[in-house]
Amino acid sequence: MMAESMRSTYGLFIGGKEVMSGASRTVFEPATGEPLAQVYFGGRDEIDKAVEAANAALKGPWGRMAPGRRARALFKLAQLLAERQDELAVIEARNAGKALWSAKAEIAQAVEDFEYYAGAVTKLCGETIPQGGGMLAYTLREPIGVCAQIVPWNYPLMMAAWKLAPALAAGCAVVLKPASATPITALLLGEICRDAGIPDGVVNVVPAPGGEIGDYLVEHPGIRKVTFTGETETGRRVMERASRLLKRVTLELGGKSPNIVFQDADLDAAVAGSVYAIYYNAGQSCEARSRLIIHESVYDEFLGRFEEKAKTLRVGDPLDPKTQIGALISREHEARVDGYVRQGVQDGAKLLLGGGRPEGVQEKGAFYLPTLLGDVRAESRVAQEEIFGPVVTATRFSTEAEAVAIANGVDYGLAGTIWTRDVGQAHRVARAVESGLIGVNTPLTGAPGLPFGGYKQSGFGREMAMETLHLYTEQKTVLVHTAEKPVNPFGV
Ligand code: NAD
């Protein structure tokens, strides 16, 4: 199956067609370091063509289509995606290096996302607003226009779905730019949109390098809104550039999320959940709970048990069904993760687990062992900066106020988890932690319907929720004079 589903070359997807234009580049397989496919990357010309195709498509029926019809196209898209789940999961696992089981789970979530927004299309309403003086006032929700959607490499298809589904539901057209390392499933998603009957040009997918071409896309006068997921630094640049034409912007950025273990926590559940919350997707998750903040009375016991469990995780070949943690995205990234671990130890942290490459993996592949740094000072670099790898820091606290202060003592505010049996404490701390999402006694985070997004430098705007639809619309107020006597304040 693998051989048939993988092509040797992928073109751009513009105006409903595969287009071999731009510059062909080799895309690699992170677990082996070997070439995976040739992929065309767009330059300015291709961005122009994609933006033009999207604007032309908006003049067609898509934005004004009966909502029920648009809903059916999205349900069809979800169904086609589900039918191709196994094939797409293998491609995603190979291209992103992630374990096959997690690629499958992400595609399943993408399917649910399209279903959620397919159901939402027919619920996107304006309102009537009471007015006196014979006036009728109501609002319309109109598609915002053509959106640039820029996604990272850590969840290539799922991030594309998070963005595409609400944009399509709202009646927008899209130029989707996947990350350079992982363009393949986004290109296939473009084809699946066409197969679902979404008109040509509504969805365009253009792999392109960030930097100059990313800037060009963000600044393009044919783009009305930019939704971006990626690093905080890149997000800042995107926002600056988008601000020149006052484009609408949604930013989903980095994180350094806390995982607070109180003294009364169910330690079995907390250990299992905390291991998952950091090491899922090899720690390359924006919402990875990368800072353990543990009450001093259970610190040693918790870490002892955490180490025991984390040691059992199977790291290796993404396509082996027994693998729990696959590869990192590249050897360069592996070196960066390792650099952080060395830095942490230099700053006084104790390396309790991991701290290097696992045995038995491909030499050119990018891998890193689940790593635990103990006795980490809350203000040290490893506890402040996003490492984006399988590395968790552990810090002690003695009072609830101290735990909250440590949790909030970073620039980010994306997610967090609290482990406690004390109901009052759970709700109190959930309110006190500055982040877009808090789990109580669960490591799970995003699901369709739950607003997902950041406080502080983790960005703004929410994805996956009903309100996300509003971020893809302009609100128009219509004021209608219905009284017999005309409005004539000047008495002319
Ligand atoms: P990145 O910022 O390097 O790249 C993200 C995307 O932006 C890529 O498609 C890249 O090509 C593009 N890009 C780069 N420069 C650009 C520019 N000047 N103009 C326009 N586009 C440009 O991020 P990454 O390394 O791919 O992804 C990892 C980061 O993403 C982490 O910080 C992670 O926390 C974050 N992330 C956040 C969320 C969330 O929902 N908050 C989800 C997933 C990942």
Side-chain angles (χ1 to χ4, degrees):
M1 184 188 75
M2 212 185 299
E4 303 100 85
S5 59
M6 202 66 217
R7 298 178 207 157
S8 60
T9 306
Y10 292 85
L12 314 171
F13 185 74
I14 298 178
K17 291 180 195 63
E18 187 177 22
V19 181
M20 304 296 183
S21 171
S24 162
R25 283 197 187 188
T26 305
V27 166
F28 291 88
E29 193 164 359
T32 62
E34 298 297 336
L36 181 63
Q38 290 297 118
V39 177
Y40 278 88
F41 277 57
R44 289 172 180 241
D45 285 352
E46 287 73 23
I47 296 287
D48 284 344
K49 285 189 182 118
V51 174
E52 201 179 301
N55 275 290
L58 270 194
K59 296 199 181 84
W62 181 245
R64 273 166 261 116
M65 185 179 275
R69 269 189 67 203
R70 211 158 61 234
R72 276 200 296 279
L74 289 185
F75 276 122
K76 181 75 184 169
L77 168 50
Q79 182 206 329
L80 295 179
L81 197 56
E83 284 169 14
R84 292 180 65 178
Q85 184 189 21
D86 288 347
E87 168 212 344
L88 289 166
V90 171
I91 295 174
E92 192 83 317
R94 293 186 70 188
N95 190 188
K98 59 177 70 231
L100 187 59
W101 70 269
S102 74
K104 278 191 185 162
E106 289 158 29
I107 293 164
Q109 203 208 69
V111 169
E112 285 178 13
D113 229 30
F114 282 111
E115 287 171 342
Y116 176 82
Y117 283 108
V121 175
T122 47
K123 284 92 189 165
L124 182 59
C125 300
E127 37 185 22
T128 54
I129 301 154
Q131 291 291 299
M135 289 289 185
L136 165 67
Y138 64 92
T139 58
L140 297 172
R141 288 275 173 190
E142 297 182 336
I144 210 162
V146 176
C147 305
Q149 305 200 305
I150 301 172
V151 294
W153 48 259
N154 59 338
Y155 296 108
L157 188 129
M158 194 173 82
M159 289 290 113
W162 282 21
K163 299 206 173 325
L164 209 48
L168 294 177
C172 295
V174 164
V175 177
L176 175 69
K177 194 198 91 52
S180 301
T182 55
I184 299 177
T185 49
L187 289 164
L188 295 173
L189 185 58
E191 295 180 4
I192 295 171
C193 289
R194 177 196 58 204
D195 297 345
I198 293 170
D200 291 350
V202 171
V203 177
N204 305 279
V205 186
V206 184
E212 191 203 327
I213 303 303
D215 289 344
Y216 186 72
L217 173 63
V218 168
E219 291 182 336
H220 202 293
I223 297 286
R224 287 282 177 81
K225 176 182 169 86
V226 181
T227 37
F228 170 85
T229 298
E231 285 181 12
T232 294
E233 244 351 275
T234 326
R236 224 185 297 282
R237 173 167 164 169
V238 164
M239 188 167 164
E240 275 170 20
R241 304 238 162 202
S243 73
R244 295 179 189 171
L245 288 182
L246 290 179
K247 294 182 182 185
R248 310 315 187 240
V249 175
T250 299
L251 298 176
E252 300 290 354
L253 309 176
K256 191 73 183 172
S257 298
N259 190 348
I260 309 174
V261 182
F262 285 100
Q263 56 272 42
D264 67 337
D266 171 346
L267 285 195
D268 286 337
V271 166
S274 304
V275 165
Y276 178 79
I278 175 63
Y279 298 130
Y280 171 79
N281 205 36
Q284 302 169 117
S285 295
C286 52
E287 85 290 4
R289 267 47 51 78
S290 52
R291 294 184 295 144
L292 288 165
I293 302 167
I294 311 166
H295 190 265
E296 57 192 3
S297 66
V298 290
Y299 182 90
D300 290 329
E301 186 182 353
F302 179 89
L303 285 191
R305 293 212 221 167
F306 183 98
E307 249 182 86
E308 282 311 308
K309 296 286 180 200
K311 252 190 235 164
T312 67
L313 294 174
R314 283 185 292 257
V315 185
D317 177 5
L319 297 178
D320 181 338
K322 290 202 216 78
T323 294
Q324 288 160 306
I325 301 177
L328 298 185
I329 193 66
S330 65
R331 287 301 295 262
E332 294 72 47
H333 188 54
E334 180 197 306
R336 186 172 169 267
V337 170
D338 190 55
Y340 267 113
V341 173
R342 307 288 135 224
Q343 170 86 52
V345 171
Q346 220 175 321
D347 291 346
K350 275 195 199 138
L351 179 61
L352 299 176
L353 185 71
R357 282 168 63 81
E359 282 170 14
V361 289
Q362 298 248 6
E363 207 184 313
K364 287 203 278 171
F367 290 93
Y368 209 77
L369 282 168
T371 297
L372 169 63
L373 291 172
D375 293 347
V376 173
R377 285 177 305 108
E379 61 285 356
S380 66
R381 263 187 79 189
V382 282
Q384 290 287 322
E385 296 178 16
E386 188 180 41
I387 299 175
F388 222 56
V391 179
V392 68
T393 62
T395 303
R396 286 183 179 79
F397 73 89
S398 54
T399 64
E400 183 184 301
E402 197 189 344
V404 170
I406 296 171
N408 289 341
V410 292
D411 292 336
Y412 298 107
L414 190 59
T417 300
I418 303 163
W419 300 94
T420 177
R421 287 184 168 112
D422 177 337
V423 176
Q425 182 170 59
H427 290 284
R428 224 170 30 241
V429 177
R431 274 175 172 247
V433 174
E434 297 166 339
S435 72
L437 192 143
I438 286 284
V440 177
N441 297 329
T442 173
L444 301 179
T445 52
L450 305 181
F452 190 91
Y455 279 31
K456 304 196 283 187
Q457 293 189 31
S458 290
F460 52 80
R462 295 290 179 266
E463 297 198 300
M464 290 218 282
M466 276 304 276
E467 72 195 71
T468 311
L469 272 182
H470 290 178
L471 301 178
Y472 285 98
T473 61
E474 289 287 12
Q475 189 176 37
K476 179 179 283 172
T477 302
V478 182
L479 194 58
V480 186
H481 177 248
T482 62
E484 285 181 33
K485 204 170 153 215
V487 181
N488 186 6
F490 280 150
V492 289

